[in-house]
Amino acid sequence: MTAHFRLRTELAGTMQQAFDLSRSIDAHLGSMADTGERAVGGVTSGLIGPGETVTWRARHFGVPWTMTSRITAFEEPHRFADEQVSGPFRTFRHVHLFEPLERPMGTARTIMLDDVTFSAPFGPLGLVVEHVALTRHLRRLIESRNRWLAEALRQAQ
């Protein structure tokens, strides 16, 4: 079984600004400071690009996790996708989409869409955890990250 959710966030700034901030390792670390997340391998600072990997360490549900992701799709400044190469999920794919928001006579705005698809390990037990807690936890993490990105872009304007 695979879980899926999609988030829509309006951001101040151009598509390029939103695209670059979303693939910034430093911004990700700032937005995930509450989890103690660290980049420990691959690209550990700056902007991650096509084919590159990053290895994250964090603590979720009181358990330490290590996950390596690779950028598997990259169409600047419209979309990129990261997928788990190794880590706690059976599968994990996060597609980041960016669309300009038409605003008459105003500052640039961008719609960012997060399309997240994943499946938990551990067969039937993982399926229960996926539906009871994991989907909600991941959704809240990405919503929190998006609020952090929105505020960072707002302050940059």
Side-chain angles (χ1 to χ4, degrees):
M1 188 75 173
T2 301
H4 174 260
F5 63 89
R6 191 169 213 196
L7 299 174
R8 181 184 187 275
T9 307
E10 187 175 326
L11 302 170
T14 65
M15 282 176 46
Q16 187 68 55
Q17 289 169 318
F19 182 87
D20 286 344
L21 191 62
S22 293
R23 66 189 181 104
S24 165
I25 301 299
D26 305 306
H28 183 88
L29 292 171
S31 71
M32 293 289 140
D34 290 345
T35 68
E37 196 157 319
R38 305 180 331 261
V40 298
V43 179
T44 58
S45 66
L47 300 179
I48 194 165
E52 294 180 324
T53 63
V54 58
T55 300
W56 304 103
R57 281 212 186 111
R59 183 172 294 276
H60 297 281
F61 301 111
V63 177
W65 298 93
T66 300
M67 178 172 153
T68 300
S69 296
R70 177 181 314 280
I71 302 299
T72 58
F74 194 87
E75 298 168 27
E76 188 170 355
H78 302 283
R79 70 185 289 271
F80 71 95
D82 57 89
E83 294 186 54
Q84 175 187 278
V85 174
S86 65
F89 297 96
R90 192 161 30 116
T91 63
F92 184 91
R93 179 174 169 87
H94 183 176
V95 179
H96 310 253
L97 301 161
F98 304 89
E99 301 171 355
L101 181 61
E102 299 300 324
R103 289 267 170 153
M105 303 296 288
T107 59
R109 307 280 302 171
T110 298
I111 297 298
M112 178 176 67
L113 299 169
D114 292 278
D115 197 334
V116 178
T117 307
F118 67 94
S119 54
F122 310 126
L125 176 61
L127 185 60
V128 170
V129 171
E130 183 179 291
H131 287 286
V132 170
L134 197 52
T135 300
R136 182 178 14 209
H137 179 69
L138 285 173
R139 184 181 190 97
R140 285 181 181 159
L141 276 177
I142 294 175
E143 287 170 342
S144 176
R145 173 186 174 273
N146 290 354
R147 283 190 299 275
W148 192 96
L149 295 175
E151 181 60 20
L153 283 169
R154 188 192 64 74
Q155 289 181 10
Q157 297 301 312

